[in-house]
Amino acid sequence: MVIWIILLLMTAAAVMAVLWPLSRHCARAAQQADPDTHFYREQIAEIERDRERGVLLPSEAEAAKAEAGRRLLRATGMTAADASAAVGEPALRRRRAASTLALSVIPIIALAVYGAYGSPHLLTHPQEQQAQVPGDKMDLMAAVSQIEAHLAQNPQDGRGWEVVAPVYIRMGRIDDAVKAYGSAVRYLGPSADRLANYGEVMVLAKDGLVSSEAQKVFEQAVQLDKTSPKARYYLAVAAEQDGQIEKAKQAYGELLSSSPEGAPWVNVVRQRLASLGDEPPVAEQGDAPQIGAADIARMVSGLAERLETQGGSPEEWARLIRSYAVLGQRDKAVAAAQLARQALAQNDAGLKTIDAMARELKLTDAGP
């Protein structure tokens, strides 16, 4: 409501700025219509100066002043008449038209410009509601900044690194989360849970690929706790990606049989087994629909078809190779690496990218 009052006052001020000069035009015209009035006033002043100097007798001076006064009055009357005549009916109509135009067009233009470039919707909600959502984010950012400042001064505070690592994951800062979990393991010492979390974020950083470095971390976690479900799950995924399907099935089955009923990872393990053709997935009622293995396979197939027919960048070829490895299709990953080398034969940097991906995925039979 306040914004509209302000707009109304601004519009009224703009209209008055246009109408005020029009209303003063007649007065200025009356004052400037005949320059003789200035001459007669100067003549009267000159007569008064002559009387003071004794050039004119007092009676002569009074007579001269009276005559000059009569001429001044006559000239002033003629000026007003002339001004009134000059500002006749046509001029009056023009002033009225200008006034009407100012009263109608200026508010319309003001509203149109405000609607196009203004923000009338900003005050439709209370300020508390507007600040509620960004306020939570600001609190999180402030907390992270404080922790980071503390860790910059105390880099050996392993507990601080372990606290901020999951926050980095929530914020999408996966690389920072990897460094944070690594520092937590370094300064707090290895434990099964800590190593499992460290390995998991390494997998996230590789878009779902269990690298050889991450696999070593999970193996160390299992050595500390043979029942660690997260470490055992990712070791099974690593076996699947390496093409060791039977080993992966056995690892998934053992994890499923030793898991308590209703464990959060049970459905995921069943889906992985189903993708290997071992047993159909069992999903809890009310779960949101998820993308199945068939859908992922179709997307990967589409990418492969486009790259084979149209070509692509080294990063796209690397993504295809990694996708085949994640799906456990090792033979297709090797074939994709070979096709990528043929397509990028003139691109030295691209060949280095493909070679690095093959080494990371341990595709030894896909060498150049």
Coordinates of all heavy atoms in Angstrom, one line a residue, residues 60-114:
E60 N 7.0 72.4 -11.4 CA 7.3 71.8 -12.7 C 7.6 70.3 -12.6 O 7.1 69.5 -13.5 CB 8.5 72.4 -13.4 CG 8.2 73.9 -13.7 CD 9.5 74.6 -14.3 OE1 10.6 74.0 -14.1 OE2 9.4 75.7 -14.8
A61 N 8.3 69.9 -11.6 CA 8.6 68.5 -11.4 C 7.3 67.7 -11.1 O 7.1 66.6 -11.6 CB 9.6 68.3 -10.2
E62 N 6.4 68.2 -10.3 CA 5.2 67.5 -10.0 C 4.3 67.4 -11.2 O 3.7 66.3 -11.5 CB 4.4 68.3 -8.9 CG 5.1 68.2 -7.5 CD 5.2 66.8 -7.0 OE1 4.3 65.9 -7.4 OE2 6.1 66.5 -6.3
A63 N 4.3 68.4 -12.1 CA 3.5 68.4 -13.3 C 4.1 67.3 -14.2 O 3.4 66.5 -14.9 CB 3.5 69.7 -14.0
A64 N 5.4 67.3 -14.4 CA 6.1 66.3 -15.2 C 5.8 64.9 -14.7 O 5.6 63.9 -15.5 CB 7.6 66.6 -15.4
K65 N 6.0 64.7 -13.4 CA 5.7 63.4 -12.8 C 4.3 62.9 -13.1 O 4.0 61.7 -13.3 CB 6.1 63.4 -11.4 CG 7.6 63.4 -11.1 CD 7.9 63.6 -9.6 CE 7.3 62.5 -8.8 NZ 7.7 62.6 -7.3
A66 N 3.3 63.9 -13.0 CA 1.9 63.5 -13.2 C 1.7 63.0 -14.6 O 1.0 62.0 -14.9 CB 1.1 64.7 -12.8
E67 N 2.3 63.8 -15.6 CA 2.2 63.4 -17.0 C 2.8 62.0 -17.2 O 2.2 61.2 -17.9 CB 2.8 64.5 -17.8 CG 2.7 64.2 -19.3 CD 1.3 64.1 -19.8 OE1 0.4 64.7 -19.2 OE2 1.0 63.4 -20.8
A68 N 4.0 61.8 -16.7 CA 4.7 60.5 -16.9 C 3.9 59.4 -16.2 O 3.8 58.3 -16.7 CB 6.1 60.6 -16.3
G69 N 3.3 59.7 -15.1 CA 2.5 58.7 -14.4 C 1.3 58.3 -15.2 O 0.9 57.1 -15.3
R70 N 0.6 59.3 -15.8 CA -0.5 59.0 -16.6 C -0.1 58.1 -17.8 O -0.9 57.2 -18.2 CB -1.2 60.3 -17.1 CG -2.0 61.0 -16.1 CD -2.8 62.1 -16.7 NE -2.0 63.2 -17.3 CZ -1.6 64.2 -16.6 NH1 -1.9 64.4 -15.3 NH2 -0.9 65.2 -17.2
R71 N 1.0 58.5 -18.4 CA 1.5 57.6 -19.6 C 1.8 56.2 -19.1 O 1.6 55.2 -19.8 CB 2.7 58.3 -20.2 CG 2.3 59.6 -20.9 CD 3.6 60.3 -21.5 NE 3.3 61.5 -22.1 CZ 4.2 62.3 -22.7 NH1 5.5 61.9 -22.7 NH2 3.9 63.4 -23.3
L72 N 2.4 56.1 -17.9 CA 2.7 54.8 -17.4 C 1.4 53.9 -17.2 O 1.4 52.8 -17.5 CB 3.5 54.9 -16.1 CG 3.8 53.6 -15.4 CD1 4.7 52.7 -16.2 CD2 4.5 53.9 -14.0
L73 N 0.4 54.6 -16.6 CA -0.8 53.9 -16.3 C -1.5 53.5 -17.7 O -2.0 52.4 -17.8 CB -1.8 54.7 -15.5 CG -1.4 55.0 -14.1 CD1 -2.4 56.0 -13.4 CD2 -1.4 53.7 -13.3
R74 N -1.4 54.4 -18.6 CA -2.0 54.0 -19.9 C -1.2 52.9 -20.6 O -1.8 52.0 -21.2 CB -2.0 55.3 -20.8 CG -2.7 55.1 -22.1 CD -3.0 56.4 -22.8 NE -1.8 57.3 -23.0 CZ -1.6 58.4 -22.3 NH1 -2.5 58.8 -21.4 NH2 -0.5 59.1 -22.5
A75 N 0.1 52.9 -20.5 CA 0.9 51.9 -21.1 C 0.6 50.5 -20.4 O 0.6 49.5 -21.0 CB 2.4 52.2 -21.0
T76 N 0.5 50.5 -19.1 CA 0.2 49.3 -18.3 C -1.1 48.7 -18.7 O -1.3 47.5 -18.9 CB 0.3 49.6 -16.8 OG1 1.6 50.1 -16.5 CG2 0.1 48.3 -16.1
G77 N -2.1 49.5 -18.9 CA -3.4 49.1 -19.3 C -3.4 48.5 -20.6 O -4.0 47.4 -20.9
M78 N -2.6 49.1 -21.5 CA -2.5 48.6 -22.9 C -1.8 47.2 -22.9 O -2.1 46.3 -23.6 CB -1.8 49.6 -23.8 CG -2.6 50.8 -24.1 SD -1.7 52.0 -25.0 CE -1.4 51.1 -26.5
T79 N -0.8 47.1 -22.0 CA 0.0 45.8 -21.9 C -0.9 44.7 -21.5 O -0.9 43.6 -22.1 CB 1.1 46.0 -21.0 OG1 2.0 47.0 -21.4 CG2 1.9 44.7 -20.9
A80 N -1.8 44.9 -20.5 CA -2.7 43.8 -20.1 C -3.6 43.5 -21.2 O -4.0 42.3 -21.4 CB -3.4 44.3 -18.8
A81 N -4.1 44.5 -21.8 CA -5.1 44.3 -22.9 C -4.5 43.5 -24.0 O -5.0 42.5 -24.6 CB -5.7 45.6 -23.4
D82 N -3.2 44.0 -24.4 CA -2.5 43.3 -25.5 C -2.2 41.9 -25.1 O -2.3 41.0 -25.9 CB -1.2 44.1 -25.8 CG -1.5 45.4 -26.4 OD1 -2.7 45.6 -26.9 OD2 -0.6 46.3 -26.4
A83 N -1.8 41.7 -23.8 CA -1.5 40.3 -23.4 C -2.7 39.4 -23.5 O -2.7 38.2 -23.9 CB -0.9 40.3 -22.0
S84 N -3.8 39.9 -23.0 CA -5.1 39.2 -23.1 C -5.5 38.9 -24.5 O -6.0 37.8 -24.8 CB -6.2 40.0 -22.4 OG -5.9 40.2 -21.0
A85 N -5.2 39.9 -25.4 CA -5.5 39.6 -26.8 C -4.6 38.6 -27.4 O -5.0 37.8 -28.2 CB -5.4 40.9 -27.6
A86 N -3.3 38.7 -26.9 CA -2.3 37.7 -27.5 C -2.6 36.3 -27.0 O -2.4 35.4 -27.8 CB -0.9 38.1 -27.0
V87 N -3.1 36.2 -25.8 CA -3.5 34.9 -25.3 C -5.0 34.7 -25.5 O -5.8 34.9 -24.6 CB -3.1 34.7 -23.8 CG1 -3.4 33.3 -23.4 CG2 -1.7 35.1 -23.6
G88 N -5.3 34.5 -26.7 CA -6.7 34.4 -27.1 C -7.3 33.0 -27.0 O -6.7 32.2 -26.4
E89 N -8.3 32.8 -27.7 CA -9.0 31.5 -27.7 C -8.2 30.4 -28.2 O -8.1 29.3 -27.6 CB -10.3 31.6 -28.5 CG -11.2 30.4 -28.3 CD -11.7 30.2 -26.9 OE1 -11.8 31.2 -26.1 OE2 -12.0 29.0 -26.5
P90 N -7.4 30.6 -29.3 CA -6.6 29.4 -29.8 C -5.5 29.1 -28.7 O -5.3 27.9 -28.5 CB -6.0 30.0 -31.1 CG -6.9 31.0 -31.5 CD -7.4 31.7 -30.3
A91 N -4.9 30.1 -28.2 CA -3.8 29.8 -27.2 C -4.4 29.1 -25.9 O -3.8 28.3 -25.3 CB -3.1 31.1 -26.8
L92 N -5.6 29.6 -25.6 CA -6.3 29.0 -24.4 C -6.6 27.5 -24.7 O -6.5 26.7 -23.8 CB -7.6 29.8 -24.1 CG -8.3 29.3 -22.8 CD1 -7.4 29.5 -21.6 CD2 -9.6 30.2 -22.7
R93 N -7.0 27.2 -25.9 CA -7.3 25.8 -26.2 C -6.1 25.0 -26.2 O -6.1 23.8 -25.7 CB -8.0 25.7 -27.6 CG -9.4 26.2 -27.6 CD -10.1 25.7 -28.9 NE -9.5 26.2 -30.1 CZ -9.9 27.3 -30.7 NH1 -10.9 28.0 -30.2 NH2 -9.3 27.7 -31.8
R94 N -5.0 25.6 -26.6 CA -3.7 24.8 -26.6 C -3.3 24.5 -25.2 O -2.8 23.4 -24.9 CB -2.6 25.6 -27.3 CG -2.8 25.6 -28.9 CD -1.5 26.1 -29.5 NE -1.2 27.5 -29.2 CZ -1.6 28.6 -29.8 NH1 -2.4 28.4 -30.9 NH2 -1.2 29.8 -29.5
R95 N -3.4 25.5 -24.3 CA -3.1 25.3 -22.9 C -3.9 24.2 -22.3 O -3.5 23.3 -21.5 CB -3.2 26.6 -22.1 CG -2.1 27.6 -22.4 CD -1.8 28.5 -21.2 NE -3.0 29.1 -20.7 CZ -3.6 30.2 -21.1 NH1 -3.1 30.8 -22.1 NH2 -4.7 30.6 -20.5
R96 N -5.2 24.2 -22.6 CA -6.1 23.2 -22.0 C -5.8 21.8 -22.6 O -5.8 20.8 -21.8 CB -7.6 23.6 -22.4 CG -8.1 24.8 -21.6 CD -9.5 25.1 -22.0 NE -10.0 26.3 -21.3 CZ -11.2 26.9 -21.5 NH1 -11.9 26.5 -22.6 NH2 -11.6 27.9 -20.8
A97 N -5.4 21.8 -23.9 CA -5.1 20.5 -24.4 C -3.8 19.9 -23.8 O -3.7 18.7 -23.5 CB -4.9 20.6 -25.9
A98 N -2.8 20.8 -23.6 CA -1.6 20.4 -22.9 C -1.8 20.0 -21.5 O -1.2 19.0 -21.0 CB -0.6 21.6 -22.9
S99 N -2.7 20.6 -20.8 CA -3.0 20.2 -19.4 C -3.7 18.9 -19.4 O -3.4 18.0 -18.6 CB -4.0 21.3 -18.8 OG -3.3 22.5 -18.8
T100 N -4.7 18.6 -20.3 CA -5.3 17.3 -20.4 C -4.3 16.2 -20.7 O -4.4 15.1 -20.1 CB -6.5 17.4 -21.4 OG1 -7.4 18.4 -21.1 CG2 -7.2 16.1 -21.5
L101 N -3.4 16.5 -21.7 CA -2.4 15.5 -22.0 C -1.5 15.2 -20.8 O -1.2 14.0 -20.6 CB -1.6 16.1 -23.2 CG -0.6 15.1 -23.8 CD1 -1.4 14.0 -24.5 CD2 0.2 15.8 -24.9
A102 N -1.1 16.2 -20.1 CA -0.3 15.9 -18.9 C -1.0 15.1 -17.9 O -0.4 14.2 -17.3 CB 0.2 17.3 -18.4
L103 N -2.3 15.4 -17.7 CA -3.0 14.7 -16.6 C -3.3 13.3 -17.0 O -3.5 12.4 -16.1 CB -4.3 15.5 -16.3 CG -4.2 16.8 -15.6 CD1 -5.6 17.5 -15.6 CD2 -3.7 16.6 -14.2
S104 N -3.3 12.9 -18.3 CA -3.7 11.6 -18.7 C -2.5 10.8 -19.1 O -2.3 9.6 -18.7 CB -4.7 11.6 -19.8 OG -4.1 12.4 -20.9
V105 N -1.6 11.4 -19.9 CA -0.5 10.6 -20.5 C 0.6 10.3 -19.4 O 1.1 9.2 -19.4 CB 0.1 11.3 -21.7 CG1 1.3 10.6 -22.2 CG2 -1.0 11.4 -22.8
I106 N 0.9 11.3 -18.6 CA 2.1 11.1 -17.7 C 1.8 9.9 -16.7 O 2.7 9.1 -16.5 CB 2.4 12.4 -16.9 CG1 3.0 13.4 -17.9 CG2 3.3 12.1 -15.8 CD1 3.3 14.7 -17.3
P107 N 0.6 9.9 -16.1 CA 0.4 8.7 -15.2 C 0.4 7.4 -15.9 O 0.9 6.4 -15.4 CB -1.0 9.0 -14.6 CG -1.2 10.5 -14.7 CD -0.5 10.8 -16.0
I108 N -0.2 7.3 -17.1 CA -0.2 6.1 -17.9 C 1.2 5.6 -18.2 O 1.6 4.5 -18.1 CB -1.0 6.3 -19.2 CG1 -2.5 6.5 -18.8 CG2 -0.9 5.0 -20.1 CD1 -3.3 6.8 -20.0
I109 N 2.1 6.6 -18.7 CA 3.5 6.2 -19.0 C 4.2 5.8 -17.7 O 5.0 4.8 -17.7 CB 4.2 7.4 -19.6 CG1 3.6 7.8 -21.0 CG2 5.7 7.2 -19.8 CD1 4.1 9.0 -21.7
A110 N 4.0 6.5 -16.6 CA 4.6 6.1 -15.4 C 4.3 4.7 -14.9 O 5.1 3.9 -14.6 CB 4.3 7.1 -14.3
L111 N 3.0 4.3 -15.0 CA 2.6 3.0 -14.6 C 3.1 1.9 -15.6 O 3.5 0.8 -15.2 CB 1.0 2.9 -14.6 CG 0.3 3.7 -13.5 CD1 -1.2 3.6 -13.6 CD2 0.7 3.1 -12.1
A112 N 3.1 2.3 -16.9 CA 3.7 1.3 -17.9 C 5.1 1.0 -17.6 O 5.6 -0.1 -17.7 CB 3.4 1.8 -19.3
V113 N 5.9 2.1 -17.4 CA 7.3 1.9 -17.2 C 7.6 1.1 -15.9 O 8.5 0.2 -15.8 CB 8.0 3.3 -17.1 CG1 9.5 3.1 -16.7 CG2 8.0 4.0 -18.5
Y114 N 6.8 1.4 -14.8 CA 7.0 0.7 -13.6 C 6.6 -0.8 -13.7 O 7.3 -1.7 -13.2 CB 6.1 1.3 -12.5 CG 6.3 0.6 -11.1 CD1 7.5 0.7 -10.4 CD2 5.3 -0.1 -10.6 CE1 7.6 0.1 -9.2 CE2 5.4 -0.7 -9.4 CZ 6.6 -0.6 -8.7 OH 6.7 -1.3 -7.5

